[in-house]
Amino acid sequence: MVRFSSKTEPKLTEPNIDDDDMQRAKRTELPPAQENIDKLEKVVNEGNYYGAQQMYKSISARYVSAQRYSEAKDILHSGACIQLVNGQVICGAELALLFVETLGKGKIPYDDETLDLLKRIYEKFPQVPLPPHLWDVDDMNQLSEELRNAKTRVEGCSSFLKAAIKWSAEFGANSNGSPELHIMLAEYIYTESPEVDMNRVTYHFVRGNDPNKFASTLVNFLGKCYPGEDDLAIARAVLRYLCLGNLKDANVFMEEIKKQAEAAEVQFPQTDMTQFASFLLQTMERNAPPLFTMLRSSFKQTIDREPSFNEMLDKIAEKFYGVQRRDPMGMIGDMLKYAESVEMLETS
Protein backbone atom coordinates (compact mmCIF):
# COMPACT_ATOMS: atom_id res chain seq x y z
CA MET A 1 0.00 0.00 0.00
CA VAL A 2 1.24 3.39 -0.98
CA ARG A 3 0.93 5.94 1.73
CA PHE A 4 0.68 9.65 1.03
CA SER A 5 2.20 12.13 3.37
CA SER A 6 -0.24 14.31 5.16
CA LYS A 7 2.14 17.19 4.70
CA THR A 8 1.22 19.47 1.81
CA GLU A 9 3.78 20.55 -0.72
CA PRO A 10 5.03 24.10 -0.14
CA LYS A 11 3.52 26.56 -2.62
CA LEU A 12 5.79 28.67 -4.76
CA THR A 13 5.07 32.38 -4.27
CA GLU A 14 6.22 35.32 -6.35
CA PRO A 15 8.35 37.96 -4.67
CA ASN A 16 6.31 40.74 -3.14
CA ILE A 17 7.02 43.72 -5.43
CA ASP A 18 4.91 46.75 -4.67
CA ASP A 19 4.33 49.82 -6.82
CA ASP A 20 7.05 51.77 -5.02
CA ASP A 21 9.60 49.10 -5.88
CA MET A 22 8.57 49.20 -9.53
CA GLN A 23 8.85 52.99 -9.62
CA ARG A 24 12.31 52.83 -8.05
CA ALA A 25 13.34 50.29 -10.67
CA LYS A 26 12.12 52.55 -13.44
CA ARG A 27 14.04 55.48 -11.99
CA THR A 28 17.31 53.54 -11.95
CA GLU A 29 16.88 52.38 -15.55
CA LEU A 30 17.08 55.92 -16.98
CA PRO A 31 20.42 57.67 -17.50
CA PRO A 32 21.09 61.19 -16.18
CA ALA A 33 19.10 63.74 -18.18
CA GLN A 34 22.22 65.54 -19.41
CA GLU A 35 23.23 62.51 -21.47
CA ASN A 36 19.99 62.72 -23.42
CA ILE A 37 20.18 66.52 -23.66
CA ASP A 38 23.63 66.32 -25.29
CA LYS A 39 22.52 63.56 -27.66
CA LEU A 40 19.37 65.40 -28.73
CA GLU A 41 21.18 68.69 -29.27
CA LYS A 42 23.43 66.91 -31.79
CA VAL A 43 20.35 65.66 -33.68
CA VAL A 44 18.96 69.20 -33.85
CA ASN A 45 22.30 70.67 -34.92
CA GLU A 46 22.39 68.14 -37.76
CA GLY A 47 19.14 69.65 -39.04
CA ASN A 48 16.89 66.71 -38.15
CA TYR A 49 14.32 68.88 -36.38
CA TYR A 50 11.36 66.51 -36.78
CA GLY A 51 13.29 63.46 -35.64
CA ALA A 52 14.62 65.36 -32.63
CA GLN A 53 11.10 66.54 -31.80
CA GLN A 54 9.78 63.01 -31.56
CA MET A 55 12.75 61.98 -29.42
CA TYR A 56 12.31 64.94 -27.06
CA LYS A 57 8.67 63.98 -26.53
CA SER A 58 9.21 60.25 -26.08
CA ILE A 59 12.31 60.48 -23.87
CA SER A 60 10.88 63.18 -21.60
CA ALA A 61 7.70 61.07 -21.26
CA ARG A 62 9.79 58.23 -19.81
CA TYR A 63 11.21 60.51 -17.13
CA VAL A 64 7.72 61.77 -16.32
CA SER A 65 6.47 58.19 -16.07
CA ALA A 66 9.32 57.45 -13.64
CA GLN A 67 8.35 60.57 -11.68
CA ARG A 68 11.72 62.16 -12.41
CA TYR A 69 10.01 65.47 -13.14
CA SER A 70 13.03 67.70 -12.62
CA GLU A 71 15.00 65.87 -15.29
CA ALA A 72 12.00 65.74 -17.62
CA LYS A 73 11.64 69.50 -17.43
CA ASP A 74 15.37 69.96 -18.06
CA ILE A 75 15.09 67.91 -21.26
CA LEU A 76 11.99 69.77 -22.43
CA HIS A 77 13.44 73.17 -21.55
CA SER A 78 16.57 72.44 -23.55
CA GLY A 79 14.49 71.15 -26.47
CA ALA A 80 12.14 74.15 -26.54
CA CYS A 81 15.02 76.62 -26.49
CA ILE A 82 17.15 74.94 -29.17
CA GLN A 83 14.20 74.40 -31.52
CA LEU A 84 13.18 78.06 -31.19
CA VAL A 85 16.76 79.27 -31.73
CA ASN A 86 16.75 77.28 -34.97
CA GLY A 87 13.51 78.93 -36.09
CA GLN A 88 11.34 75.87 -35.47
CA VAL A 89 8.51 77.81 -33.82
CA ILE A 90 5.85 75.09 -33.96
CA CYS A 91 8.22 72.46 -32.51
CA GLY A 92 9.58 74.84 -29.88
CA ALA A 93 6.11 75.96 -28.80
CA GLU A 94 4.97 72.34 -28.46
CA LEU A 95 7.91 71.48 -26.21
CA ALA A 96 7.36 74.69 -24.24
CA LEU A 97 3.78 73.60 -23.56
CA LEU A 98 4.98 70.16 -22.46
CA PHE A 99 7.48 71.89 -20.17
CA VAL A 100 4.63 73.75 -18.43
CA GLU A 101 2.56 70.57 -18.31
CA THR A 102 5.46 68.84 -16.56
CA LEU A 103 5.65 71.63 -13.99
CA GLY A 104 2.04 70.87 -13.13
CA LYS A 105 2.44 67.10 -13.04
CA GLY A 106 5.45 67.42 -10.78
CA LYS A 107 3.67 69.99 -8.58
CA ILE A 108 6.72 72.21 -8.99
CA PRO A 109 6.12 75.50 -7.15
CA TYR A 110 6.18 78.93 -8.72
CA ASP A 111 9.36 80.73 -7.67
CA ASP A 112 12.09 82.96 -9.11
CA GLU A 113 14.08 80.00 -10.43
CA THR A 114 11.18 78.53 -12.38
CA LEU A 115 10.12 81.99 -13.58
CA ASP A 116 13.62 82.45 -14.95
CA LEU A 117 13.34 79.17 -16.90
CA LEU A 118 10.04 80.32 -18.40
CA LYS A 119 11.54 83.70 -19.26
CA ARG A 120 14.44 82.02 -21.08
CA ILE A 121 12.01 80.10 -23.28
CA TYR A 122 10.01 83.29 -23.94
CA GLU A 123 13.15 85.16 -24.99
CA LYS A 124 13.89 82.47 -27.60
CA PHE A 125 10.63 83.06 -29.47
CA PRO A 126 11.57 84.97 -32.66
CA GLN A 127 10.83 88.67 -32.74
CA VAL A 128 10.59 89.73 -36.37
CA PRO A 129 9.48 93.31 -37.05
CA LEU A 130 6.79 93.51 -39.71
CA PRO A 131 6.79 96.28 -42.34
CA PRO A 132 5.30 99.45 -40.78
CA HIS A 133 2.75 99.75 -43.59
CA LEU A 134 1.77 96.21 -44.47
CA TRP A 135 -0.40 97.02 -47.45
CA ASP A 136 2.37 99.05 -49.12
CA VAL A 137 4.38 95.87 -49.73
CA ASP A 138 4.57 95.16 -53.47
CA ASP A 139 5.14 91.40 -53.24
CA MET A 140 1.80 90.01 -52.04
CA ASN A 141 3.20 86.48 -51.77
CA GLN A 142 5.89 87.76 -49.46
CA LEU A 143 3.29 89.66 -47.45
CA SER A 144 1.11 86.56 -47.09
CA GLU A 145 4.07 84.53 -45.89
CA GLU A 146 5.12 87.18 -43.37
CA LEU A 147 1.58 87.42 -42.01
CA ARG A 148 1.31 83.64 -41.76
CA ASN A 149 4.63 83.39 -39.92
CA ALA A 150 3.66 86.21 -37.57
CA LYS A 151 0.38 84.45 -36.73
CA THR A 152 2.26 81.23 -36.00
CA ARG A 153 4.69 83.02 -33.69
CA VAL A 154 1.95 84.83 -31.76
CA GLU A 155 -0.23 81.73 -31.41
CA GLY A 156 2.71 79.60 -30.26
CA CYS A 157 4.02 82.08 -27.72
CA SER A 158 0.51 82.94 -26.48
CA SER A 159 -0.41 79.29 -25.92
CA PHE A 160 2.81 78.72 -23.97
CA LEU A 161 2.46 81.82 -21.78
CA LYS A 162 -1.26 81.33 -21.11
CA ALA A 163 -0.53 77.79 -19.92
CA ALA A 164 2.30 79.13 -17.75
CA ILE A 165 0.02 81.80 -16.28
CA LYS A 166 -2.59 79.17 -15.41
CA TRP A 167 0.07 76.95 -13.80
CA SER A 168 1.50 79.88 -11.81
CA ALA A 169 -1.94 80.77 -10.42
CA GLU A 170 -2.28 77.22 -9.12
CA PHE A 171 1.22 76.78 -7.74
CA GLY A 172 2.17 79.93 -5.90
CA ALA A 173 1.50 83.19 -7.73
CA ASN A 174 -1.59 85.31 -7.07
CA SER A 175 -5.03 84.25 -8.31
CA ASN A 176 -4.58 86.11 -11.59
CA GLY A 177 -1.29 84.35 -12.29
CA SER A 178 2.27 85.64 -12.42
CA PRO A 179 2.40 89.41 -13.15
CA GLU A 180 5.72 88.95 -14.94
CA LEU A 181 4.22 86.36 -17.30
CA HIS A 182 1.29 88.66 -18.05
CA ILE A 183 3.75 91.41 -19.00
CA MET A 184 5.63 89.05 -21.34
CA LEU A 185 2.43 88.02 -23.08
CA ALA A 186 1.18 91.60 -23.44
CA GLU A 187 4.49 92.70 -24.95
CA TYR A 188 4.66 89.81 -27.41
CA ILE A 189 1.08 90.28 -28.61
CA TYR A 190 1.71 94.00 -29.10
CA THR A 191 5.04 93.75 -30.90
CA GLU A 192 4.41 90.66 -33.04
CA SER A 193 0.72 90.76 -34.02
CA PRO A 194 0.06 92.01 -37.57
CA GLU A 195 -3.03 93.81 -36.30
CA VAL A 196 -2.84 94.74 -32.64
CA ASP A 197 -5.85 94.04 -30.44
CA MET A 198 -5.33 96.58 -27.65
CA ASN A 199 -8.13 94.99 -25.65
CA ARG A 200 -6.07 91.78 -25.32
CA VAL A 201 -2.88 93.73 -24.68
CA THR A 202 -4.59 95.75 -21.94
CA TYR A 203 -6.10 92.63 -20.35
CA HIS A 204 -2.62 91.28 -19.64
CA PHE A 205 -0.81 94.53 -18.88
CA VAL A 206 -3.22 95.44 -16.06
CA ARG A 207 -2.59 92.02 -14.52
CA GLY A 208 1.11 92.74 -14.64
CA ASN A 209 3.22 94.78 -12.28
CA ASP A 210 4.69 97.47 -14.53
CA PRO A 211 2.32 100.38 -15.30
CA ASN A 212 5.30 102.40 -16.59
CA LYS A 213 5.96 99.82 -19.31
CA PHE A 214 2.27 99.74 -20.15
CA ALA A 215 2.29 103.53 -20.49
CA SER A 216 5.32 103.32 -22.80
CA THR A 217 3.55 100.74 -24.98
CA LEU A 218 0.42 102.84 -25.16
CA VAL A 219 2.39 105.96 -26.12
CA ASN A 220 3.78 103.95 -29.02
CA PHE A 221 0.22 102.96 -29.93
CA LEU A 222 -0.95 106.60 -29.82
CA GLY A 223 1.59 107.42 -32.51
CA LYS A 224 0.14 104.99 -35.04
CA CYS A 225 -3.50 104.18 -34.19
CA TYR A 226 -6.57 105.27 -36.06
CA PRO A 227 -8.45 108.42 -34.95
CA GLY A 228 -10.81 107.68 -32.07
CA GLU A 229 -8.84 104.66 -30.84
CA ASP A 230 -6.40 106.66 -28.72
CA ASP A 231 -8.69 108.00 -26.01
CA LEU A 232 -10.63 104.73 -25.85
CA ALA A 233 -7.40 102.81 -25.23
CA ILE A 234 -6.43 105.13 -22.37
CA ALA A 235 -9.86 105.00 -20.73
CA ARG A 236 -10.04 101.22 -21.14
CA ALA A 237 -6.71 100.84 -19.34
CA VAL A 238 -7.88 102.98 -16.41
CA LEU A 239 -11.18 101.11 -16.14
CA ARG A 240 -9.54 97.69 -16.28
CA TYR A 241 -7.11 98.62 -13.50
CA LEU A 242 -10.03 99.81 -11.38
CA CYS A 243 -12.04 96.64 -12.09
CA LEU A 244 -9.21 94.78 -10.36
CA GLY A 245 -9.31 97.27 -7.46
CA ASN A 246 -5.88 98.60 -8.41
CA LEU A 247 -6.27 102.36 -8.00
CA LYS A 248 -2.54 102.84 -7.34
CA ASP A 249 -1.36 101.50 -10.70
CA ALA A 250 -4.23 103.25 -12.50
CA ASN A 251 -2.94 106.59 -11.19
CA VAL A 252 0.68 105.74 -11.99
CA PHE A 253 -0.33 104.72 -15.50
CA MET A 254 -2.24 107.95 -16.17
CA GLU A 255 0.54 110.18 -14.85
CA GLU A 256 3.20 108.25 -16.73
CA ILE A 257 1.44 108.20 -20.10
CA LYS A 258 1.12 111.99 -20.02
CA LYS A 259 4.81 112.40 -19.17
CA GLN A 260 6.00 109.92 -21.77
CA ALA A 261 3.72 111.31 -24.49
CA GLU A 262 5.15 114.78 -23.92
CA ALA A 263 8.73 113.47 -23.93
CA ALA A 264 8.11 111.55 -27.17
CA GLU A 265 6.32 114.53 -28.72
CA VAL A 266 3.20 112.44 -29.20
CA GLN A 267 -0.07 114.26 -28.78
CA PHE A 268 -2.04 113.15 -25.75
CA PRO A 269 -5.74 113.19 -26.71
CA GLN A 270 -7.60 115.91 -24.85
CA THR A 271 -11.15 114.60 -25.27
CA ASP A 272 -14.25 114.07 -23.19
CA MET A 273 -13.18 110.42 -22.80
CA THR A 274 -9.77 111.18 -21.30
CA GLN A 275 -11.35 113.91 -19.17
CA PHE A 276 -13.81 111.34 -17.85
CA ALA A 277 -10.95 108.94 -17.04
CA SER A 278 -9.11 111.67 -15.12
CA PHE A 279 -12.22 112.69 -13.16
CA LEU A 280 -12.95 109.04 -12.43
CA LEU A 281 -9.52 108.55 -10.84
CA GLN A 282 -10.06 111.61 -8.64
CA THR A 283 -13.51 110.34 -7.65
CA MET A 284 -12.16 106.93 -6.65
CA GLU A 285 -9.82 108.61 -4.16
CA ARG A 286 -12.89 109.60 -2.15
CA ASN A 287 -15.52 107.41 -0.56
CA ALA A 288 -18.30 109.19 -2.40
CA PRO A 289 -20.76 106.90 -4.22
CA PRO A 290 -23.12 109.82 -5.08
CA LEU A 291 -20.26 111.64 -6.83
CA PHE A 292 -19.47 108.46 -8.77
CA THR A 293 -23.12 108.23 -9.88
CA MET A 294 -23.15 111.91 -10.90
CA LEU A 295 -19.99 111.41 -12.94
CA ARG A 296 -21.53 108.50 -14.84
CA SER A 297 -24.63 110.55 -15.54
CA SER A 298 -22.69 113.60 -16.71
CA PHE A 299 -20.53 111.59 -19.12
CA LYS A 300 -23.22 109.10 -20.21
CA GLN A 301 -22.93 109.94 -23.91
CA THR A 302 -19.15 109.62 -23.75
CA ILE A 303 -19.27 106.31 -21.85
CA ASP A 304 -21.77 104.88 -24.34
CA ARG A 305 -19.14 105.11 -27.09
CA GLU A 306 -17.78 101.78 -25.83
CA PRO A 307 -20.51 99.26 -24.86
CA SER A 308 -18.28 97.41 -22.38
CA PHE A 309 -17.56 100.51 -20.29
CA ASN A 310 -20.91 100.51 -18.47
CA GLU A 311 -20.36 96.90 -17.40
CA MET A 312 -16.88 97.82 -16.16
CA LEU A 313 -18.24 100.77 -14.20
CA ASP A 314 -20.77 98.47 -12.53
CA LYS A 315 -17.89 96.22 -11.46
CA ILE A 316 -15.96 99.23 -10.16
CA ALA A 317 -18.97 100.39 -8.11
CA GLU A 318 -19.21 96.93 -6.60
CA LYS A 319 -15.47 96.68 -5.94
CA PHE A 320 -15.04 100.11 -4.29
CA TYR A 321 -18.49 100.92 -2.87
CA GLY A 322 -20.11 97.53 -2.37
CA VAL A 323 -22.93 98.39 -4.78
CA GLN A 324 -24.47 95.09 -5.84
CA ARG A 325 -25.14 94.87 -9.54
CA ARG A 326 -28.75 94.13 -10.37
CA ASP A 327 -29.06 91.53 -13.08
CA PRO A 328 -32.54 91.25 -14.61
CA MET A 329 -31.62 87.85 -16.06
CA GLY A 330 -30.76 86.43 -12.65
CA MET A 331 -28.95 83.09 -12.69
CA ILE A 332 -28.90 82.94 -16.50
CA GLY A 333 -27.14 86.28 -16.55
CA ASP A 334 -24.54 85.01 -14.08
CA MET A 335 -23.90 81.98 -16.27
CA LEU A 336 -23.49 84.15 -19.36
CA LYS A 337 -21.02 86.41 -17.55
CA TYR A 338 -19.02 83.40 -16.40
CA ALA A 339 -18.93 82.06 -19.96
CA GLU A 340 -17.76 85.46 -21.22
CA SER A 341 -14.96 85.63 -18.63
CA VAL A 342 -13.75 82.12 -19.58
CA GLU A 343 -13.83 83.06 -23.26
CA MET A 344 -11.80 86.22 -22.60
CA LEU A 345 -9.14 84.23 -20.71
CA GLU A 346 -8.92 81.65 -23.50
CA THR A 347 -8.65 84.22 -26.30
CA SER A 348 -6.49 86.78 -24.50
Side-chain angles (χ1 to χ4, degrees):
M1 179 180 293
V2 179
R3 295 185 180 181
F4 294 95
S5 171
S6 61
K7 294 182 179 179
T8 59
E9 293 290 330
K11 292 182 179 180
L12 296 176
T13 58
E14 295 184 0
N16 184 21
I17 301 177
D18 60 17
D19 290 340
D20 289 340
D21 292 330
M22 293 178 67
Q23 290 296 336
R24 278 193 289 271
K26 283 185 180 180
R27 293 190 191 110
T28 57
E29 290 171 3
L30 295 170
Q34 192 60 46
E35 289 185 19
N36 283 309
I37 290 172
D38 294 339
K39 178 177 69 176
L40 291 169
E41 284 185 358
K42 289 179 182 178
V43 178
V44 173
N45 291 330
E46 290 168 358
N48 187 4
Y49 304 120
Y50 178 78
Q53 185 75 0
Q54 303 314 308
M55 293 171 70
Y56 274 117
K57 290 160 63 176
S58 61
I59 291 174
S60 62
R62 293 175 201 157
Y63 284 84
V64 169
S65 178
Q67 298 182 7
R68 290 167 64 169
Y69 299 109
S70 181
E71 289 170 287
K73 75 178 178 63
D74 289 345
I75 292 169
L76 290 166
H77 186 273
S78 173
C81 289
I82 196 169
Q83 290 279 37
L84 290 169
V85 166
N86 281 276
Q88 304 301 304
V89 176
I90 295 175
C91 290
E94 183 182 23
L95 295 179
L97 275 172
L98 288 173
F99 173 80
V100 176
E101 185 180 305
T102 302
L103 294 179
K105 287 181 177 178
K107 295 182 171 51
I108 295 170
Y110 172 83
D111 55 23
D112 289 342
E113 180 182 351
T114 312
L115 176 62
D116 185 59
L117 292 174
L118 292 165
K119 185 177 180 182
R120 281 190 233 166
I121 294 176
Y122 163 73
E123 290 172 345
K124 298 297 187 296
F125 274 90
Q127 297 191 17
V128 183
L130 291 167
H133 303 289
L134 288 174
W135 309 115
D136 291 342
V137 176
D138 294 330
D139 189 340
M140 293 307 295
N141 289 331
Q142 178 189 349
L143 175 61
S144 296
E145 184 178 356
E146 288 182 350
L147 291 175
R148 187 165 54 251
N149 291 338
K151 183 179 179 182
T152 299
R153 291 194 300 273
V154 173
E155 287 179 351
C157 188
S158 296
S159 296
F160 157 60
L161 286 175
K162 284 191 290 186
I165 288 167
K166 184 177 179 180
W167 159 79
S168 69
E170 186 175 354
F171 288 97
N174 65 49
S175 59
N176 287 319
S178 163
E180 291 85 358
L181 294 174
H182 277 292
I183 294 289
M184 293 178 206
L185 182 49
E187 285 188 301
Y188 202 83
I189 292 172
Y190 182 76
T191 59
E192 299 302 311
S193 297
E195 292 187 19
V196 177
D197 181 352
M198 282 307 296
N199 196 22
R200 290 180 65 198
V201 172
T202 299
Y203 177 89
H204 291 290
F205 260 125
V206 299
R207 285 162 175 76
N209 55 1
D210 196 340
N212 289 1
K213 184 172 287 188
F214 185 18
S216 176
T217 300
L218 205 42
V219 166
N220 180 273
F221 178 73
L222 296 181
K224 60 184 182 183
C225 66
Y226 293 111
E229 290 184 332
D230 47 5
D231 58 351
L232 281 176
I234 293 168
R236 184 183 295 111
V238 170
L239 289 172
R240 281 201 176 276
Y241 271 125
L242 294 177
C243 282
L244 296 174
N246 192 349
L247 178 58
K248 177 184 175 183
D249 281 356
N251 277 314
V252 172
F253 165 81
M254 185 61 101
E255 292 173 8
E256 194 64 28
I257 193 172
K258 291 177 180 178
K259 289 179 187 176
Q260 293 192 30
E262 183 179 359
E265 298 183 351
V266 172
Q267 184 176 2
F268 182 88
Q270 299 290 348
T271 66
D272 288 346
M273 185 64 77
T274 54
Q275 188 178 38
F276 165 69
S278 295
F279 285 159
L280 178 61
L281 288 173
Q282 295 173 37
T283 302
M284 304 318 296
E285 296 284 355
R286 304 168 58 183
N287 186 17
L291 187 58
F292 177 82
T293 303
M294 287 175 57
L295 185 66
R296 290 187 67 170
S297 177
S298 299
F299 283 89
K300 183 181 186 306
Q301 187 174 355
T302 300
I303 295 167
D304 288 344
R305 275 181 57 196
E306 174 55 60
S308 65
F309 282 5
N310 275 299
E311 175 70 16
M312 290 186 193
L313 287 166
D314 287 343
K315 290 181 181 178
I316 292 167
E318 184 175 21
K319 177 75 70 174
F320 284 85
Y321 302 127
V323 178
Q324 294 295 318
R325 286 177 286 164
R326 298 182 63 183
D327 185 356
M329 297 182 68
M331 184 179 295
I332 296 176
D334 291 338
M335 292 171 65
L336 289 173
K337 287 172 187 173
Y338 174 75
E340 287 172 2
S341 66
V342 170
E343 182 180 5
M344 171 60 77
L345 184 59
E346 290 177 347
T347 57
S348 296

